């Protein structure tokens, strides 16, 4: 398999064929520019540059040839600093100058520095791109806000200058459709700032809010969200079952097609029931938490307890055993989900959810036996509580094999009153005729976690220290050999689509 360097080299070769080829290839060559991995020492020596050789050469090309810069819609810059370390100002300034050279830029992928409520050139450069369609805010600590928090309680930790600066960064983003807001190490973004920021984005359709404390985002802030198609709420201690129930009554919630609730510790099943019942456009639903949401004391229970007419996909992951899995299984059997086609339940402790789905002959993957996590699961207690997909697949496969041991029914073939043959039909795990597919595949290929998360988005360790990367020798049969095909070993980068978070 080749890498981004090989792809760009091949496109350059096609562009050199003639002018007609050049006109056809040029938009493809510059529409999506991904610069991945380490710099080539030979290239640095050739151009007499110490670092960031490819970025500087690309910037020079785009500045000198504005026609090419018009084609650029997406840029990926190399991630060469270890995870958790701040990006130096020189790198930020270089990337900012590259952004400024692309007037039609829509995405800056794979490079998400922490924003500490202070001015930096890259944030300013992105704020001037009117066609930007997605942005990821990683809100970090600020010394002034930290000092203020020791003397007073919220609101008012952000001063007027910090509030105005953050709000004005969104003034030109009329085309922004996807926004991520993530608090890094107690980063602060106060309630009023949330509300005013979202009101400045008329095209916003997909929103993810994660890791903010109750002073920044709570039930009241939740009610002010604009109409959205996709919403992911993760690790928000200020969001409760009451706020979710009230949110389902708002007019803005009726447009939601994809809803993800991650580690919100919802206590009552009625909150989930209200969401699924009232969100008439909902098609995908994700629930991940440790405790099991239960039916409140004194509540009457009628099946189906939870139901949705249009829901097509459910990710249901309750770590601790409780009645939630049983209630969902009974609701499915009672016809509460007529449109449901896919169910993913890593913590299906007793196989109740697997039983209501279409039977599968095999759920374990051929690659599982080569995984360290899978080999470790062989040594652990098979009944232990876990969120790992490898163990979940192993337990599901074990239930399938145990069901095969018992015969579902027996066929007896007789001829002239003599039994000629007896055939036992093996049992199966599931429900014949069910339209629901039971899956335990990960959002990220090869990952041990079912859901894609922020580490999958910002992690750069694979790119910094690539193993078994591409060296350009996958097509070394060329008559000039390594001199033509060889390049510095680089990671085979695969972009992370932000839509997979919903």
């Amino acid at each position: 398999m080749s890498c981004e360097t090989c792809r760009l080299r091949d496109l350059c070769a096609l562009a050199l064929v003639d002018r007609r080829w050049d006109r056809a290839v040029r938009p493809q060559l510059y529409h999506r520019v991904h610069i991945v991995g380490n710099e080539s020492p030979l290239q640095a020596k050739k151009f007499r540059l110490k670092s960031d050789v490819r970025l500087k050469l690309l910037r020079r090309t785009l500045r000198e040839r504005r026609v090419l810069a018009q084609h650029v819609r997406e840029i990926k810059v190399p991630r060469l600093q270890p995870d958790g370390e701040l990006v130096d100002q020189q790198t930020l300034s270089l990337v900012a100058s590259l952004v400024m050279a692309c007037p039609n830029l829509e995405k800056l992928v794979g490079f998400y520095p922490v924003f500490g409520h202070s001015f930096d050139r890259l944030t300013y450069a992105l704020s001037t791109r009117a066609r930007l369609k997605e942005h990821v805010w990683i809100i970090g600590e600020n010394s002034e806000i930290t000092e203020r928090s020791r003397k007073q309680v919220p609101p008012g930790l952000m001063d007027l200058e910090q509030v105005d600066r953050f709000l004005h960064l969104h003034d030109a983003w009329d085309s922004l459709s996807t926004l991520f807001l993530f608090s890094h190490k107690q980063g602060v973004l106060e309630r009023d700032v949330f509300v005013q920021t979202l009101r400045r984005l008329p095209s916003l359709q997909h929103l993810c809010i994660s890791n903010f404390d109750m002073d920044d985002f709570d039930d009241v802030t939740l009610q002010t969200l604009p109409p959205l198609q996709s919403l992911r709420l993760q690790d928000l201690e200020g969001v409760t079952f009451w706020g979710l129930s009230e949110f389902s009554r708002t007019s803005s919630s009726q447009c939601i097609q994809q809803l993800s609730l991650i580690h919100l510790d919802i206590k009552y099943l009625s909150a989930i029931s209200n969401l699924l019942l009232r969100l008439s456009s909902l098609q995908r639903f994700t629930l991940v938490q440790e405790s099991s949401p239960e039916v409140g004391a004194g509540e009457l229970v009628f099946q189906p307890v939870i139901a949705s007419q249009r829901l097509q996909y459910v990710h249901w992951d309750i770590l601790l055993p409780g009645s939630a899995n049983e209630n969902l299984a009974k609701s499915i059997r009672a016809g509460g989900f007529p449109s449901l086609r896919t169910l993913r339940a890593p913590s299906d402790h007793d196989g109740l959810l697997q039983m209501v789905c279409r039977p599968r002959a095999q759920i374990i993957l051929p690659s599982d036996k080569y995984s360290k996590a899978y080999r470790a699961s062989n040594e652990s207690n098979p009944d232990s509580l876990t969120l790992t997909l490898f163990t979940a697949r192993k337990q599901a496969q074990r239930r399938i094999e145990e069901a095969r041991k018992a015969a579902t029914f027996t066929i007896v073939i007789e001829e002239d009153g003599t039994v000629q043959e007896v055939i036992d039909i093996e049992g199966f795990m599931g429900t014949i005729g069910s339209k629901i597919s039971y899956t335990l595949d990960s959002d990220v290929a090869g990952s041990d976690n079912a859901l894609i998360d922020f580490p999958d988005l910002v992690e750069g360790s694979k790119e910094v220290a690539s193993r078994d990367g591409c060296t350009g020798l996958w097509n070394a049969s060329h008559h000039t050999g390594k001199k033509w095909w060889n390049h510095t070993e680089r990671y085979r980068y695969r972009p992370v689509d932000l839509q997979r978070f919903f």
Side-chain angles (χ1 to χ4, degrees):
M1 191 190 319
S2 63
C3 65
E4 197 66 25
T5 302
C6 295
R7 186 186 75 89
L8 293 175
R9 179 193 57 204
D10 294 342
L11 287 176
C12 286
L14 290 174
L16 295 175
V17 173
D18 57 32
R19 291 183 179 180
R20 288 181 299 175
W21 275 95
D22 179 63
R23 286 194 298 268
V25 170
R26 188 182 301 173
Q28 301 298 323
L29 184 61
Y30 285 93
H31 179 85
R32 178 173 62 90
V33 181
H34 287 184
I35 303 179
V36 183
N38 299 308
E39 300 290 346
S40 169
L42 295 177
Q43 194 176 34
K45 182 178 180 180
K46 176 181 178 180
F47 293 98
R48 298 181 181 180
L49 296 173
K50 295 183 179 180
S51 62
D52 303 316
V53 180
R54 290 169 294 167
L55 284 180
K56 293 176 181 178
L57 293 176
L58 175 62
R59 180 183 60 180
R60 185 183 69 180
T61 300
L62 297 179
R63 283 177 171 177
E64 293 177 354
R65 303 183 65 181
R66 298 296 179 89
V67 176
L68 298 180
Q70 299 285 338
H71 293 297
V72 179
R73 298 294 186 272
E74 180 179 322
I75 293 180
K76 159 73 175 73
V77 299
R79 175 74 182 273
L80 300 180
Q81 76 279 2
D83 294 335
E85 291 191 8
L86 295 177
V87 183
D88 60 88
Q89 290 298 319
Q90 182 179 359
T91 302
L92 285 178
S93 298
L94 177 59
V95 178
S97 62
L98 189 60
V99 169
M100 294 297 288
C102 304
N104 298 321
L105 186 68
E106 297 177 356
K107 299 179 182 180
L108 178 64
V109 300
F111 187 78
Y112 308 107
V114 177
F115 176 73
H117 291 292
S118 57
F119 177 82
D120 66 76
R121 290 189 60 192
L122 176 58
T123 304
Y124 171 76
L126 288 171
S127 70
T128 63
R129 302 301 91 181
R131 297 192 179 186
L132 199 69
K133 290 188 175 180
E134 64 179 38
H135 186 68
V136 176
W137 282 116
I138 301 180
I139 308 297
E141 289 183 300
N142 180 276
S143 57
E144 296 178 1
I145 295 178
T146 303
E147 184 66 26
R148 229 174 270 127
S149 66
R150 297 170 182 170
K151 302 176 182 179
Q152 67 181 76
V153 295
L157 297 182
M158 296 174 62
D159 59 32
L160 293 178
E161 182 181 355
Q162 291 171 336
V163 172
D164 289 340
R165 180 189 299 121
F166 186 80
L167 292 178
H168 287 311
L169 290 173
H170 302 78
D171 288 344
W173 290 351
D174 291 341
S175 300
L176 192 77
S177 60
T178 303
L179 180 66
F180 278 51
L181 292 160
F182 177 78
S183 175
H184 176 70
K185 296 182 178 180
Q186 304 301 316
V188 173
L189 194 65
E190 296 185 310
R191 299 175 186 172
D192 292 341
V193 182
F194 266 107
V195 176
Q196 296 181 53
T197 298
L198 299 180
R199 287 177 179 174
R200 292 169 180 251
L201 304 173
S203 300
L204 185 63
Q205 296 295 326
H206 314 286
L207 176 64
C208 176
I209 303 175
S210 175
N211 213 36
F212 289 92
D213 61 29
M214 63 177 61
D215 295 322
D216 294 337
F217 195 92
D218 60 3
D219 290 336
V220 178
T221 320
L222 179 62
Q223 314 308 317
T224 64
L225 294 182
L228 300 166
Q229 290 185 9
S230 306
L231 176 62
R232 175 166 172 153
L233 302 175
Q234 180 172 350
D235 295 305
L236 300 172
E237 57 185 19
V239 177
T240 66
F241 69 93
W242 177 87
L244 292 171
S245 294
E246 290 299 312
F247 175 67
S248 66
R249 302 175 188 271
T250 62
S251 58
S252 60
S253 67
Q254 302 308 306
C255 302
I256 294 180
Q257 300 177 9
Q258 302 175 87
L259 177 64
S260 300
L261 307 177
I262 317 296
H263 301 308
L264 299 186
D265 193 23
I266 302 171
K267 296 182 179 180
Y268 298 110
L269 199 62
S270 58
I272 300 173
S273 177
N274 290 337
L275 281 170
L276 299 185
L277 182 63
R278 294 170 182 163
L279 301 186
S280 57
S281 301
L282 192 64
Q283 298 179 10
R284 293 176 63 93
F285 178 68
T286 297
L287 178 67
V288 178
Q289 63 181 55
E290 291 189 0
S291 60
S292 174
E294 304 293 341
V295 177
E299 292 184 2
L300 295 177
V301 178
F302 298 97
Q303 294 297 343
V305 179
I306 49 180
S308 175
Q309 294 298 312
R310 300 188 61 183
L311 199 62
Q312 300 176 8
Y313 176 94
V314 171
H315 174 94
W316 188 272
D317 197 353
I318 310 297
L319 178 60
L320 301 178
S323 65
N325 286 4
E326 182 181 359
N327 281 320
L328 177 60
K330 289 182 178 180
S331 298
I332 293 175
R333 288 190 182 278
F337 298 88
S339 301
L340 186 62
R341 294 296 179 267
T342 304
L343 174 62
R344 181 168 64 181
S347 298
D348 188 10
H349 308 291
D350 300 320
L352 296 176
L353 299 177
Q354 185 179 2
M355 180 60 73
V356 299
C357 297
R358 186 167 53 244
R360 292 186 57 174
Q362 180 173 332
I363 199 168
I364 206 165
L365 301 178
S367 59
D368 282 346
K369 61 182 179 181
Y370 302 107
S371 168
K372 294 181 180 179
Y374 183 72
R375 290 196 296 268
S377 70
N378 292 328
E379 303 172 359
S380 61
N381 181 6
D383 297 321
S384 62
L385 301 178
T386 179
L387 283 175
T388 62
L389 279 181
F390 295 107
T391 306
R393 284 196 290 264
K394 181 182 177 182
Q395 293 177 352
Q397 185 66 32
R398 185 184 62 182
R399 291 191 290 265
I400 293 174
E401 294 174 356
E402 288 179 353
R404 288 173 180 165
K405 296 178 181 178
T408 306
F409 54 90
T410 302
I411 300 176
V412 179
I413 302 176
E414 294 186 2
E415 185 176 346
D416 298 329
T418 304
V419 177
Q420 300 293 329
E421 188 175 1
V422 178
I423 302 175
D424 291 330
I425 303 300
E426 294 181 345
F428 50 86
M429 186 67 181
T431 300
I432 298 295
S434 174
K435 298 180 180 180
I436 305 172
S437 175
Y438 187 81
T439 179
L440 289 173
D441 295 335
S442 174
D443 288 342
V444 180
S447 174
D448 193 24
N449 299 315
L451 278 181
I452 187 173
D453 207 346
F454 273 88
D456 299 307
L457 182 65
V458 301
E459 184 184 32
S461 58
K462 294 181 180 179
E463 188 173 346
V464 176
S466 176
R467 294 183 179 181
D468 192 27
C470 178
T471 58
L473 295 179
W474 60 274
N475 196 0
S477 59
H478 192 274
H479 61 86
T480 56
K482 292 184 178 182
K483 182 179 180 181
W484 174 254
W485 290 104
N486 191 40
H487 63 70
T488 300
E489 184 174 6
R490 294 191 176 112
Y491 173 60
R492 293 179 174 89
Y493 174 75
R494 296 295 178 265
V496 177
D497 186 3
L498 296 186
Q499 298 304 314
R500 295 166 65 184
F501 277 80
F502 303 102

